[in-house]
Structures are given as C-alpha cells and as structure tokens.
Amino acid sequence: EMNRNIDRIFTNFAVALLLIFTATAANAVDMSGHIGGFFGGKKLKSDDWPDIDTHYSMGVIFDIQKDSWPISIVLDITDTGGKHKHDGVEDLGHTTEYHLGIRKVFERDSDLQPYIGGGVALMYAEQELATIGTTTTQDDRGVGGWVGAGMYYEINPGFVLGLDVRYSHGEVNLFDKDRNAGGIHAGITGGYQF
C-alpha cells in the first residue's frame, strides 16, 4: 500500500510539473532558472549501510522562477552507488532521490549567486548482499526531506559552474531493518542558466 501511494506521488508530481511547464511556456520571457549536472559523493549512515556507506553520485539540478516570484521551484535528481568487495564477491548499495521544493537564489544578477533550499525527498534504495554462490537483493521506497545550500558562478551569461551541499533523510526497510536512504551530498555542478 505504501509503495502504491509513493508511486501515486511520483505520477502526480510528473503531471503537475508538466502542467507548470505548459502554463509557463507561453510566457517564458518572464522566467529564469538553471539546469545542469551534479557530480560528487554521498555519505550514508554507516550503521544502516555497513561497508557501503560511501557512494559516488551524479544527477541533475533544476530550478525555475518567474521574475515576480521571490523563490524558485526545484526538481533535483541524484543517483548514487557504492560497493564492498569481500571473499571474492561484492555487496552493492544504490539510491535514487527526487528532491522537490523551493530554492532562494541570492544576487541573481551577479556573477556569484549563493542559494539555500529545501523540500520533500522521494527515495528509492536497493541493497544487494552476496555470499559465495548466493546473491540476495531487496529494494524499497520512502518519503523524507532535504535541506541544502550552494552557489552558482557565472562563467558567461548562459553557463554556470557551482558547488552544492545538502542533507537528506528518508527511511526505507531493507532486510528487515529500517534504514536512512538519505545522507550528506556534496559535489560540483555545471550547466545552463536562462
């Protein structure tokens, strides 16, 4: 039942996002924002992810703001993974997070644009545990929250580089244990400013 509810949240958000873009496309002159890639790492709670608590991370960060709004609407997506080799086999960990929320970008007209933000985190997590001859995989979804800060640095009017740090929390149940699928994310960003 919980997974069906979360699937419904994902579907409803996709529909809402489509409606927002459709409604604002005709008035795109009054919109500004950023879309780019994220590359970095994620540190998960070691008690919940023994030996696979350090993940590489990549994703997309996106914010859009109407000129008359004080804040931006955010959709950021990160995908992370880590592994632990032992006894000739590998344990694997994987998470995907959809961060929905708001972001306040300061000094939008300057080269250096710091920001803060937060919102809801929709989480997917998977763990694969291996022994010689046997591999067992479980996955789960959860809902939590995130907060973060960072900065964009304008290289030219259309291109920005940046830094992003955030913390997320959301519980999933894997192998009969409640685990935090979130963690501390840190990385560099780069992409398009419009």
Side-chain angles (χ1 to χ4, degrees):
E1 180 64 34
M2 180 65 173
N3 282 350
R4 277 202 301 273
N5 288 339
I6 294 170
D7 287 339
R8 212 171 297 127
I9 291 170
F10 277 101
T11 304
N12 290 342
F13 176 74
V15 171
L17 198 60
L18 184 61
L19 290 173
I20 289 168
F21 286 130
T22 303
T24 57
N27 204 15
V29 173
D30 295 336
M31 305 298 288
S32 60
H34 305 85
I35 183 166
F38 171 90
F39 303 94
K42 176 180 176 182
K43 180 69 173 168
L44 295 94
K45 189 176 177 184
S46 58
D47 290 350
D48 290 345
W49 299 82
D51 299 316
I52 46 173
D53 59 337
T54 302
H55 288 196
Y56 68 87
S57 180
M58 60 187 306
V60 175
I61 65 168
F62 172 77
D63 62 70
I64 190 167
Q65 175 177 344
K66 196 166 183 179
D67 292 345
S68 59
W69 299 347
I71 55 173
S72 301
I73 296 171
V74 175
L75 170 60
D76 299 334
I77 304 169
T78 60
D79 198 66
T80 79
K83 60 185 176 181
H84 170 62
K85 294 184 179 181
H86 62 95
D87 305 320
V89 295
E90 280 185 344
D91 293 336
L92 302 175
H94 169 249
T95 69
T96 302
E97 298 188 35
Y98 294 81
H99 291 179
L100 323 173
I102 58 173
R103 180 172 291 139
K104 174 63 176 175
V105 181
F106 301 94
E107 309 294 333
R108 287 188 81 91
D109 296 328
S110 71
D111 291 345
L112 186 62
Q113 304 169 26
Y115 61 78
I116 57 173
V120 175
L122 306 178
M123 310 224 174
Y124 169 83
E126 181 179 53
Q127 229 177 5
E128 182 178 295
L129 303 180
T131 58
I132 295 172
T134 306
T135 301
T136 308
T137 304
Q138 288 194 2
D139 62 77
D140 194 20
R141 291 186 172 110
V143 177
W146 68 276
V147 293
M151 54 153 261
Y152 298 119
Y153 181 74
E154 185 179 297
I155 304 299
N156 63 48
F159 183 68
V160 291
L161 293 175
L163 299 172
D164 188 274
V165 178
R166 65 184 66 196
Y167 173 76
S168 61
H169 182 93
E171 287 196 352
V172 295
N173 189 279
L174 299 171
F175 296 98
D176 299 319
K177 181 179 178 181
D178 290 334
R179 304 170 195 268
N180 180 13
I184 299 170
H185 309 246
I188 58 172
T189 64
Y192 178 63
Q193 172 177 266
F194 58 92

